[in-house]
Structure formats: structure tokens, C-alpha cells
Amino acid sequence: MNQSRSPCPAAVAAYFGHAPREAVLNPETGGPTVAVVEAYAGLARRVLAGPARLGRTRLVAVDGPSGAGKSRFAARLADALAGPLDGRPPVVHTDDLLDGWDDQVTFWPRLDEGVLAPLRKGEPGAYRRYSWVRRCFLPRPVPVPVAPVLVVEGVSAARAVVRPELTLAVFVTAPAPLRLARAVDRDGPAILPELRRWHDGERAHFAVDETATHADLLVDGAPTLPHDADRYYVRLR
């Protein structure tokens, strides 16, 4: 994957609307699909053209299994939104709201009460960040201002209960062995027992919630198409 800032021919083609594509296997279904290179700048315009359904805020949820590339995708989309918004939109990572490993999907009331509920009323929100080192929530609240766009990233961010308020639901996917390897590289092999339990939990959640089926955008978190990954992503369809 080309990580350089200089656009490759495929990226240039995508910019001018002639997106390169290739046939690949969809990691979610195991069936054939088509991968297409698209620009974060175009996706940012799509978000800003969409309706604000959470008060005055356009809520973007970046969901998908652990290690798929959600955080990276959310960061690059926020970077693309920074120009049109004259400032980077707030990004909330659901991992920061979990009360440890056992709070995988049950954290939601914390997010809703602290962040989403105030924004519905046009008021700023806040949350306390969980320290995975200290194993407790830190005392200082993290403010979430009222903004034209809020990006929420993490497992179950696009869950069914919030779908009516989403301007855009993104599901990032990648093959399970690669996702496992990424997580171990990042956090070390000591997390493997908890990580395997986490993977079981997220598979069960996605199956019941049908998150990928309801997403507006399915993103390849392990693309093979050549592209400038800072400016472009690969969509599966």
C-alpha cells in the first residue's frame, strides 16, 4: 500500500472520477465484491451535504471489528473535514468510555448521557476517559463541543439504537488473522486471552445488530489496490 503523499496514477484517476477497482473477497461475507478507490475529501463533502440528525450535529459512526483500521479511517476523515469546517471536528473513541474489557457494548449509556443527549439539545457534552493502565476513569472530563460534525469511532458505534440519528454509518473490515496480528503488535501478546474473548463478543454483537448490512459505507481496512492512504480509502460494494 502506497503511504507516500505523492498521488499515484490510481489515486489521480480516483480524484477525477475514474476510480480504479478490482474484484476481491468481502471479509464480512466471504463472497466476491468490488473494491473502489475513493477520496476522503469527497466523503467529507458528502457528510456536510447530509442532514444533521443529532440536534445541529451531523453524527458519523465508524464501526467494525477491532484491528480493522477504524481509528485510522476516522482520523483521516476528520482531517478531510478540517478544511471545510475551518477546524477539525471532535472525534470520540468508544474505547475511552469502556469500564475495562467486560464493558464491550454495555458502555452505551455513558456515551448517550454524557455526549449524545446534550448535543440533541444543542448543548456541549463531556465524558471521562478510561485509563487502561490505572484501570479507572480519569477525573478530568473531556469536553465535546457543539459542532457541525461529530465522529464516533469504535466497536458498536453504529449500533441500531443510534441509526436514526446518523448522517453516515461506516463499517471498516479486514481479515480476522490480520486484525489479530495488528492488535498483538500494538498491545503485546499478553492481551491474547482477553482479545479472543473480545472477538467472540464483537462477532455476536455484529450478527445480532446486522451492523455491516445497515452501514452506508463498507470500507476495506486491508486494501490491495495501490493508493495514497492519507487521502484515499477503498470502498467495498
Side-chain angles (χ1 to χ4, degrees):
M1 184 167 60
N2 181 6
Q3 298 286 345
S4 68
R5 290 267 178 189
S6 301
C8 63
V12 173
Y15 181 83
F16 288 104
H18 304 291
R21 60 187 66 198
E22 67 177 0
V24 296
L25 289 181
N26 185 330
E28 294 306 309
T29 66
T33 188
V34 175
V36 182
V37 174
E38 295 184 339
Y40 284 105
L43 185 59
R45 289 191 294 270
R46 173 180 170 182
V47 170
L48 295 175
R53 296 192 172 110
L54 184 71
R56 303 194 304 270
T57 298
R58 295 164 182 83
L59 179 59
V60 176
V62 181
D63 208 329
S66 61
K70 300 183 301 297
S71 298
R72 183 176 294 120
F73 181 92
R76 287 168 177 165
L77 177 57
D79 289 342
L81 285 160
L85 292 176
D86 293 324
R88 204 170 185 267
V91 179
V92 174
H93 303 280
T94 63
D95 280 0
D96 290 339
L97 290 107
L98 307 185
D99 190 3
W101 288 98
D102 293 328
D103 199 23
Q104 185 174 23
V105 295
T106 49
F107 72 91
W108 193 262
R110 207 170 292 122
L111 172 65
D112 190 67
E113 292 166 12
V115 177
L116 303 183
L119 292 179
R120 287 188 191 102
K121 299 183 289 186
E123 300 172 357
Y127 64 94
R128 290 168 58 207
R129 181 180 287 120
Y130 183 80
S131 170
W132 290 83
V133 175
R134 301 181 186 179
R135 298 188 179 182
C136 66
F137 287 97
L138 302 177
R140 179 177 297 180
V142 179
V144 181
V146 178
V149 178
L150 169 66
V151 180
V152 176
E153 174 275 323
V155 175
S156 83
R159 62 176 64 190
V161 69
V162 79
R163 281 174 197 152
E165 296 181 302
L166 294 178
T167 298
L168 182 71
V170 180
F171 194 88
V172 185
T173 184
L178 175 60
R179 293 191 290 101
L180 182 65
R182 285 174 174 175
V184 171
D185 285 346
R186 182 185 62 215
D187 299 321
I191 69 163
L192 268 173
E194 295 285 8
L195 188 60
R196 294 189 189 281
R197 197 160 59 90
W198 178 277
H199 285 178
D200 290 341
E202 67 187 10
R203 276 194 299 270
H205 166 75
F206 292 140
V208 172
D209 191 77
E210 298 183 325
T211 319
T213 301
H214 290 276
D216 302 303
L217 181 66
L218 187 62
V219 172
D220 189 349
T224 57
L225 269 172
H227 66 291
D228 179 346
D230 288 333
R231 298 170 58 196
Y232 300 90
Y233 63 93
V234 175
R235 175 170 62 94
L236 298 175
R237 69 179 187 186

